[in-house]
Amino acid sequence: MGRSADLPRPAVRADGRPDDTGCGVLHVDMDAFYALVEIRERPELAGSPVVVAGGSTRGVVLSASYEARAFGVRSAMPAARARRLCPQAVFLPPHFPRYTEVSAGVMALFRSITPLVEPLSLDEAFLDVSGSLRRLGMSPAMVGEWIRGEVFDAHRVTCSVGVAPSKFAAKLASGMAKPDGLLVVPAGGVLQFLHPLPVSALWGVGARTAEALHQLGCETVADVAATPLAALRRAVGGAVAEQLHALSQGHDERQVVPDAPEKSVGAEETFDVDVADRAAMHRELLRLAERAAAALRRRGLRGRTVALKLRYPDFTTVSRSRTLVEPTDAGRAIMAVARELLDAHLPAGARVRLLGVRVEQLMAGGGTEQLTLQETGPGWSDADRAADAARSRFGSAAVRPATLLDTAAADPRSAAAHPDPGGSHESCE
Amino acid sequence: MEFELERDAFADAVAWTARGLPSRPVVPVTAGVVLEVTDGALLVSGFDFEVLNRIEVPVTDKSPGRVLVSGRLLAEIARALPPKDVRVAVEGNRLAVRCGSARFNLPLMQVEDYPVVPELPATSGTVRGDVFATAVAQVTTAASRDETLPMLTGVRMEVTPDELIFAATDRYRLAERHVPWQPSDDVASRSVIIPAKTLSDAAKSLGSASDVVLSFGSEGGGFIGFSANGRQTLTRLLDGEFVKFASLWPTESTTTAEVEIAPFVDAVKRVSLVAQRFAPVRMSFDENRVQLSAEAEDESSAEEELEVGVTGEPLTIGFNAGYLLDGLTAVKAPRATLSFTTPARPTVITPVTGLADPDTANSTGEQTYRYLVMSMRLRG
């Protein structure tokens, strides 16, 4: 960056869009998550107040649609109070499996963009996309808009995205963008963005700290920034004071920390049109297996269990897996198992909507491999590694199994641009 | 039906038969054991459509008959009986078992529903019991336990006029053992594939006999029987053609190491303590020594050096410790030779034979056992 980072930046670029240079952190937050998932299941409720609340009469509001929020209904409020505020709302019990499934799909989408995904809960996550921009050929805000489009296309629920140079600003921005919006906090405009906000916007400021700050005369973030650190320390204590002081100056050095060690690596594909042709499915499995294997090798991992995911046109989803004698990172070995599982479990003539291949029971030891009697000398494993090297230099279409070649010309996925525009995700969990 | 015999004979017979019974039977009757009394003998048998175990014991025969009762329950009862004579009799629709002052009644199962058991094929020849037991153990160690490759869960037995050649492989190892035998009359040369698990069980339980009788009849019989000491195991053979392994044995080597097995095994076990499962133990052979090492992801590591007789080129190679140890312990000799070519090519372990040692060499002093192990590719 050099000296240019020191110069004041215009908050808006010449083309009128906010300048998102250096805004590598995205905070993605699902809008009224449980409520919108329920509305998706019952489209006739769209546009009306919907409240998802925990079971008994003493339950609390878990999620409320924006129509319900207009009546003052909020999350964590007793359901009884919500009923008084908005008697005309439709109250629904939660269906956690639905939310978990959407969440897993959304997180998988994030991980297809960058390995640096830090989920905060089922419905929000930080992403650090700065390392992926060149590969994607997109700016951070474009990635954010692309995510919003993908999430809606795949799950029919909306999300809001904050794009900023730090986690703190990105999270505030997504909150301000809601619902169904995106907000960029330009790298040069963080203070301008923060300072008018009330002190309660600062991370770690609850009711008690806010009260202490108010007594100090601090109403806005700008007031906190202008308060000497010593005075803050006296008001709220040392550690909190330092944090507030840094945040109010726009300093937030926290990194996006991906989840604990990956438990599985995989890829899945939703077909544009449900597929019945077994040969086409086998081709897709090969492609998915190759991607899973390449992801393993990139991470220096091997896996011992291969799982196949099948989704039928009616959205019934089944998963079948088999454990190998020896762990592998070879696409060919993963493909062989995935194909056996498919042929063993998919009835003849059945159509599928989605296919997924996942490798579990991961362990270190990429590069080591138990050789078999049939494969002495340079084998398929060497071929996989050579192909990885070629792909990393020339793009993913450079080297691929021959059976994937006939689909290459017509297949937009083979283009250099990633992530795939289709419903195709690679993920690690 | 009614008979008497001593407690230990009864408990042994029932336990041996019930041991092979399925815990989740395809049809309920196969969870039972058949007790059949004729001419002063009790025949106890169990059959699960794949394997038939049958044992004959002399009894004081009061009246003949044939009944079916739960194998597991009868075995548990027999094991718990006091050391007195046992009297077993059918009383109405129950089997009464009396021993000392203990008395049990077991419901009878429908013996009419019991499947027809296979006939024992014609006798083919005999093999020394202890040699058979050793040979089978040496070979089954390399058989696959992965049911997705059924063929490799079997042991191939090649029959020649003077030898039986057992071989098994799971694609990572290959073991082969030659055993002398005495065929009855002229047995045609052929080969069969025997489920390794059943073969192993049969060899263990019949190995104490001086001779074990093999019965596999003529081509296409589909079953093989092993009999000794009144015990008989009959198992279905595996169909199909075994993998072509003869050409996999290397014809030459560029490095050989002669090791004393016990200290070498101990060293491999120690070093492999830090190697995670499926991670290699590295060995560098050079100038009459071998350096063993292993390391784990968390940066723990182990090293050990041993003096061994090395001839030929220095060599660094990696192994799954388990596969290597299986071979080293299977050679059943104080010393073994490891023959290498390149790190990615098969390694062969053979016993260093003493002359006239029937377990490791044939009458002309040739080795009768060899174990091939594939290496692990080492990182970097």
Side-chain angles (χ1 to χ4, degrees):
Chain A
M1 295 293 149
R3 279 177 301 174
S4 65
D6 302 327
L7 300 173
R9 286 181 175 281
V12 177
R13 296 185 311 195
D15 62 5
R17 303 180 62 143
D19 184 357
D20 58 0
T21 314
C23 295
V25 179
L26 270 54
H27 180 255
V28 185
D29 198 358
M30 307 302 294
D31 298 329
F33 184 46
Y34 300 173
L36 291 199
V37 172
E38 295 301 333
I39 291 171
R40 178 189 78 175
E41 301 295 317
R42 293 177 57 180
E44 75 276 9
L45 296 179
S48 49
V50 172
V51 176
V52 177
S56 66
T57 49
R58 297 200 296 190
V60 298
V61 173
L62 298 171
S63 177
S65 71
Y66 288 92
E67 291 80 4
R69 291 182 195 201
F71 290 87
V73 178
R74 295 285 180 272
S75 289
M77 171 184 284
R81 180 151 174 244
R83 277 180 208 278
R84 282 198 303 277
L85 287 169
C86 187
Q88 67 272 49
V90 178
F91 281 75
L92 298 170
H95 297 96
F96 289 104
R98 287 178 190 162
Y99 316 143
T100 315
E101 197 196 333
V102 174
S103 176
V106 170
M107 296 298 169
L109 167 70
F110 298 164
R111 291 189 178 101
S112 74
I113 297 166
T114 171
L116 297 176
V117 175
E118 180 180 342
L120 298 178
S121 64
L122 275 185
D123 60 352
E124 60 177 314
F126 284 114
L127 285 69
D128 184 340
V129 299
S130 40
S132 314
L133 299 174
R134 207 158 83 156
R135 175 171 58 84
L136 301 173
M138 297 186 196
S139 75
M142 287 162 74
V143 176
E145 282 299 352
W146 184 84
I147 287 173
R148 288 175 16 79
E150 279 296 298
V151 168
F152 186 73
D153 287 350
H155 305 287
R156 298 281 143 193
V157 291
T158 59
C159 62
S160 299
V161 179
V163 182
S166 66
K167 288 168 89 170
F168 167 52
K171 180 156 169 114
L172 284 173
S174 70
M176 293 170 71
K178 278 184 173 300
D180 197 12
L182 177 140
L183 182 65
V184 175
V185 181
V190 175
L191 293 183
Q192 198 183 330
F193 167 79
L194 288 178
H195 281 180
L197 300 177
V199 290
S200 58
L202 288 172
W203 206 309
V205 176
R208 287 193 56 184
T209 311
E211 183 53 38
L213 290 171
H214 290 157
Q215 288 188 359
L216 203 63
C218 292
E219 300 295 329
T220 66
V221 177
D223 298 338
V224 176
T227 306
L229 186 54
L232 279 179
R233 279 210 185 96
R234 279 193 299 276
V236 298
V240 177
E242 272 167 43
Q243 181 189 322
L244 294 183
H245 193 253
L247 290 175
S248 69
Q249 313 284 339
H251 297 308
D252 178 17
E253 300 300 323
R254 288 168 303 168
Q255 304 288 308
V256 174
V257 182
D259 255 356
E262 293 156 350
K263 292 200 181 95
S264 71
V265 166
E268 59 185 56
E269 173 74 23
T270 305
F271 295 108
D272 294 340
V273 180
D274 297 344
V275 170
D277 175 21
R278 200 55 72 105
M281 291 183 210
H282 288 163
R283 260 199 317 275
E284 187 56 38
L285 284 184
L286 177 56
R287 204 175 69 85
L288 296 171
E290 291 288 343
R291 281 176 59 181
L296 285 172
R297 294 192 295 268
R298 255 196 324 273
R299 294 165 174 77
L301 296 172
R302 297 176 296 158
R304 231 186 130 213
T305 298
V306 176
L308 170 77
K309 178 172 169 186
L310 281 173
R311 179 169 293 153
Y312 295 101
D314 66 356
F315 275 87
T316 325
T317 307
V318 295
S319 210
R320 293 287 178 269
S321 66
R322 219 190 82 202
T323 298
L324 305 166
V325 177
E326 292 286 337
T328 187
D329 61 3
R332 160 195 49 96
I334 297 166
M335 161 63 182
V337 179
R339 185 178 162 147
E340 267 176 45
L341 290 169
L342 180 83
D343 291 342
H345 295 287
L346 185 70
R351 292 180 167 271
V352 298
R353 174 186 168 84
L354 171 149
L355 282 178
V357 173
R358 183 155 284 283
V359 182
E360 300 161 353
Q361 283 209 71
L362 303 186
M363 62 191 81
T368 64
E369 179 193 14
Q370 173 65 48
L371 301 177
T372 66
L373 277 166
Q374 289 95 332
E375 301 164 25
T376 53
W380 278 95
S381 162
D382 302 83
D384 282 340
R385 264 163 250 288
D388 284 349
R391 280 190 204 105
S392 71
R393 285 185 62 191
F394 305 114
S396 66
V399 183
R400 56 169 77 208
T403 44
L404 294 181
L405 285 178
D406 53 351
T407 59
D411 187 352
R413 288 184 298 264
S414 62
H418 269 268
D420 304 333
S424 172
H425 302 147
E426 179 188 299
S427 68
C428 307
E429 283 168 8
Chain B
M1 186 187 79
E2 189 175 348
F3 61 88
E4 284 180 20
L5 79 171
E6 61 163 340
R7 182 254 178 218
D8 286 356
F10 182 61
D12 283 353
V14 176
W16 189 76
T17 312
R19 163 194 58 113
L21 294 178
S23 46
R24 269 165 297 182
V26 186
V27 288
V29 285
T30 57
V33 291
V34 176
L35 304 179
E36 191 172 0
V37 176
T38 42
D39 301 331
L42 165 70
L43 201 62
V44 186
S45 55
F47 179 54
D48 67 353
F49 293 100
E50 298 296 323
V51 181
L52 171 69
N53 283 311
R54 191 154 50 185
I55 183 166
E56 192 178 274
V57 285
V59 292
T60 310
D61 168 7
K62 297 274 177 65
S63 81
R66 182 168 179 261
V67 296
L68 179 67
V69 290
S70 160
R72 241 160 252 293
L73 184 55
L74 187 63
E76 278 171 25
I77 290 171
R79 192 168 52 230
L81 291 175
K84 305 248 171 72
D85 280 358
V86 184
R87 213 179 115 227
V88 180
V90 172
E91 292 176 2
N93 57 358
R94 301 207 273 188
L95 186 73
V97 179
R98 292 194 190 87
C99 181
S101 58
R103 189 195 156 105
F104 295 88
N105 287 308
L106 284 78
L108 297 179
M109 298 164 74
Q110 292 293 319
V111 75
E112 304 79 40
D113 297 343
Y114 202 70
V116 176
V117 302
E119 297 262 337
L120 183 69
T123 299
S124 310
T126 60
V127 58
R128 247 178 65 187
D130 57 344
V131 175
F132 177 61
T134 306
V136 167
Q138 284 179 308
V139 168
T140 50
T141 192
S144 174
R145 285 157 199 87
D146 182 3
E147 294 294 334
T148 58
L149 298 166
M151 176 61 51
L152 298 185
T153 62
V155 170
R156 179 184 189 267
M157 184 179 79
E158 186 181 342
V159 181
T160 73
D162 45 22
E163 275 188 335
L164 298 173
I165 305 164
F166 294 94
T169 178
D170 62 0
R171 302 192 305 143
Y172 310 112
R173 308 72 79 63
L174 165 63
E176 186 185 76
R177 170 72 204 256
H178 294 240
V179 171
W181 78 313
Q182 292 75 46
S184 34
D185 305 331
D186 37 308
V187 165
S189 292
R190 58 182 286 207
S191 61
V192 294
I193 306 167
I194 309 160
K197 172 85 172 56
T198 314
L199 177 64
S200 172
D201 288 348
K204 275 181 206 151
S205 66
L206 306 181
S208 58
S210 59
D211 285 308
V212 174
V213 177
L214 273 58
S215 317
F216 44 86
S218 54
E219 197 87 44
F223 278 89
I224 186 170
F226 305 94
S227 328
N229 291 348
R231 298 174 180 204
Q232 204 172 77
T233 293
L234 198 59
T235 178
R236 202 181 286 278
L237 294 168
L238 294 175
D239 287 326
E241 197 164 334
F242 202 66
V243 291
K244 299 251 180 294
F245 63 87
S247 62
L248 297 172
W249 294 106
T251 49
E252 53 192 15
S253 66
T254 51
T255 307
T256 58
E258 190 179 317
V259 301
E260 199 175 328
I261 291 177
F264 189 58
V265 162
D266 288 346
V268 171
K269 283 183 179 164
R270 274 192 293 272
V271 168
S272 68
L273 288 175
V274 302
Q276 280 146 335
R277 206 177 158 207
F278 305 109
V281 169
R282 174 190 292 260
M283 306 190 173
S284 293
F285 292 91
D286 187 15
E287 302 253 338
N288 293 323
R289 64 195 176 116
V290 57
Q291 280 181 299
L292 311 177
S293 63
E295 53 200 34
E297 214 183 334
D298 64 2
E299 298 183 352
S300 46
S301 66
E303 281 171 43
E304 186 157 348
E305 191 173 303
L306 273 178
E307 287 196 12
V308 297
V310 179
T311 349
E313 302 292 312
L315 172 102
T316 296
I317 191 166
F319 288 107
N320 172 323
Y323 293 164
L324 183 71
L325 291 170
D326 282 349
L328 289 169
T329 45
V331 297
K332 308 271 185 230
R335 300 179 70 79
T337 304
L338 284 70
S339 310
F340 312 94
T341 45
T342 68
R345 305 280 304 165
T347 296
V348 179
I349 304 176
T350 47
V352 175
T353 51
L355 285 175
D357 179 350
D359 273 344
T360 55
N362 65 15
S363 51
T364 54
E366 289 174 316
Q367 284 148 352
T368 56
Y369 182 66
R370 48 183 176 167
Y371 178 96
L372 178 157
V373 56
M374 292 304 299
S375 59
M376 285 192 79
R377 190 189 307 280
L378 293 168
R379 196 195 324 243

